């Protein structure tokens, strides 16, 4: 199948088999990444335009205890701070990184579009060398679009990973705040009954408060464990994106080779000096990109 036969329309110009293969793979990785949020925070996470604020400006939930006069129990339930501290994250920093990747994606797509429009200027050049050069230039257009998709995919994975941490932090903080609200009610009732129970209700209230805190701690730990597992899978997806980018960079060594420069050598996965560790089929033959 030639590049012309497999081409379709895209934002950077005509899109051939190479760019289509990469776009399909990266879309698959991005969709898998977005679904990671469902068991952790209860919904899919898009994140590219709004990573989330994570409730960063929320009040310290433990301030409720001191304001209600029950600060003396803080030592018994202080372990509730641990899940909040583990989920520290800077939403603005993540969004800045994601925005930078979006800009790079747009720039690469623009360059690919301009490059494609310049190819017809070579039409007056004839011969086998000319055909091979035009095929290489068409493949370069595909490679630029492929790099744009890689950066876009990396932005999506970064956004989703950041959003999972930040959104879960907000959820855990709300769980802790709810637990503390329940503890305040329990202790208020215990204090009110202290006179009639000769103080025994205070001990019961403390025990009940610790149980309420432990329940939240267990739920928070469960979600954090799922988050850690999801982030591990995200790392694997980012490695796949790195592999695609390496494939493209190895293929671009054909320009260095054509000028007599050093080359890494080896048989390419889609022609030229590709990385043999990855498999994006196709090569330049007789002036055409074929698979």
């Amino acid at each position: 199948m030639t590049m012309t036969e497999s081409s379709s329309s895209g934002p950077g110009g005509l899109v051939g088999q190479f760019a289509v293969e990469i776009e399909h793979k990266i879309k698959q990785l991005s969709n898998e990444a977005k679904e990671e949020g469902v068991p952790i925070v209860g919904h899919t996470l898009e994140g590219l335009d709004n990573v989330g604020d994570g409730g960063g400006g929320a009040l310290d939930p433990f301030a409720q205890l001191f304001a209600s006069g029950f600060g003396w129990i803080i030592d018994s339930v202080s372990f509730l701070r641990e899940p909040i501290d583990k989920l520290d994250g800077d939403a603005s920093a993540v969004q800045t990184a994601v925005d930078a990747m979006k800009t790079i994606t747009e720039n690469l797509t623009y360059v690919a579009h301009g490059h494609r429009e310049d190819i017809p200027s070579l039409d007056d050049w004839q011969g086998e060398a000319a055909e091979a050069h035009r095929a290489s230039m068409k493949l370069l257009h595909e490679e630029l679009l492929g790099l744009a998709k890689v950066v876009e995919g990396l932005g999506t994975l970064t956004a989703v990973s950041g959003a999972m941490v930040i959104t879960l932090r907000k959820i855990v903080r709300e769980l802790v705040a709810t637990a503390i609200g329940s503890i305040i009610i329990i202790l208020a009732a215990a204090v009110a009954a202290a006179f009639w129970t000769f103080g025994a209700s205070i001990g019961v209230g403390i025990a009940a408060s610790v149980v309420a805190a432990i329940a939240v701690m267990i739920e928070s730990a469960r979600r954090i464990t799922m988050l850690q597992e999801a982030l591990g899978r995200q790392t694997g997806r980012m490695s796949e994106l790195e592999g695609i980018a390496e494939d493209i960079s190895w293929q671009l060594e054909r320009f260095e080779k054509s000028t007599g420069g050093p080359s890494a050598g080896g048989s390419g996965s889609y022609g030229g000096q590709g990385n043999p560790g990855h498999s994006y089929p196709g090569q330049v033959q007789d002036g055409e990109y074929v698979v």
Side-chain angles (χ1 to χ4, degrees):
M1 182 181 297
T2 67
M3 182 188 297
T4 303
E5 289 170 344
S6 62
S7 65
S8 59
S9 180
L14 292 178
V15 179
Q17 183 69 17
F18 175 73
V20 169
E21 291 275 351
I22 288 181
E23 182 176 8
H24 174 75
K25 180 61 178 177
I26 293 175
K27 185 177 292 185
Q28 175 187 346
L29 292 173
S30 297
N31 288 339
E32 290 174 356
K34 293 174 184 178
E35 291 298 320
E36 292 283 10
V38 174
I40 300 170
V41 299
H43 56 83
T44 57
L45 293 167
E46 296 293 334
L48 272 175
D49 296 316
N50 183 17
V51 172
D53 61 15
L59 296 175
D60 180 0
F62 293 91
Q64 298 178 65
L65 286 175
F66 294 97
S68 302
F70 299 120
W72 47 267
I73 200 176
I74 191 67
D75 289 340
S76 299
V77 297
S78 60
F79 56 82
L80 284 174
R81 287 189 183 274
E82 294 178 15
I84 296 177
D85 293 340
K86 285 182 179 179
L87 296 169
D88 191 22
D90 187 341
S92 61
V94 175
Q95 189 65 61
T96 297
V98 171
D99 289 342
M101 293 179 206
K102 287 174 62 179
T103 299
I104 294 172
T105 299
E106 292 168 359
N107 290 342
L108 283 171
T109 303
Y110 177 80
V111 170
H113 179 72
H115 176 77
R116 179 74 184 190
E117 291 182 340
D118 288 341
I119 292 177
S121 65
L122 301 173
D123 286 347
D124 292 338
W125 184 18
Q126 301 298 321
E128 290 185 5
E131 289 299 318
H133 183 74
R134 275 191 288 270
S136 181
M137 292 299 98
K138 290 177 181 178
L139 183 55
L140 177 59
H141 165 255
E142 298 289 295
E143 291 160 342
L144 290 172
L145 287 180
L147 283 175
K149 290 298 180 182
V150 168
V151 177
E152 181 182 22
L154 183 59
T156 297
L157 265 62
T158 300
V160 170
S161 297
M164 279 195 294
V165 175
I166 293 164
T167 304
L168 183 55
R169 176 182 170 87
K170 185 175 183 179
I171 291 173
V172 168
R173 180 180 285 164
E174 290 172 352
L175 288 172
V176 170
T178 300
I180 289 177
S182 298
I183 289 171
I184 291 172
I185 293 174
I186 291 170
L187 292 179
V191 169
F195 177 78
W196 309 106
T197 62
F198 302 100
S201 61
I202 299 295
V204 174
I206 292 174
S209 297
V210 171
V211 169
I214 290 175
V216 169
M217 187 66 180
I218 291 172
E219 174 61 15
S220 299
R222 182 183 70 84
R223 294 193 186 217
I224 289 174
T225 297
M226 288 194 297
L227 173 65
Q228 291 171 334
E229 293 171 350
L231 292 177
R233 291 189 291 272
Q234 293 288 73
T235 300
R237 294 182 184 106
M238 289 183 179
S239 295
E240 290 193 56
L241 290 179
E242 181 183 357
I244 295 172
E246 286 178 355
D247 249 357
I248 296 173
S249 66
W250 277 68
Q251 179 67 5
L252 290 175
E253 287 186 9
R254 68 183 182 277
F255 293 105
E256 190 173 7
K257 183 179 180 182
S258 68
T259 58
S263 171
S267 175
S269 56
Y270 53 91
Q273 296 83 263
N275 185 343
H278 303 281
S279 55
Y280 293 92
Q283 55 185 327
V284 177
Q285 289 182 354
D286 300 327
E288 289 186 311
Y289 173 74
V290 297
V291 294

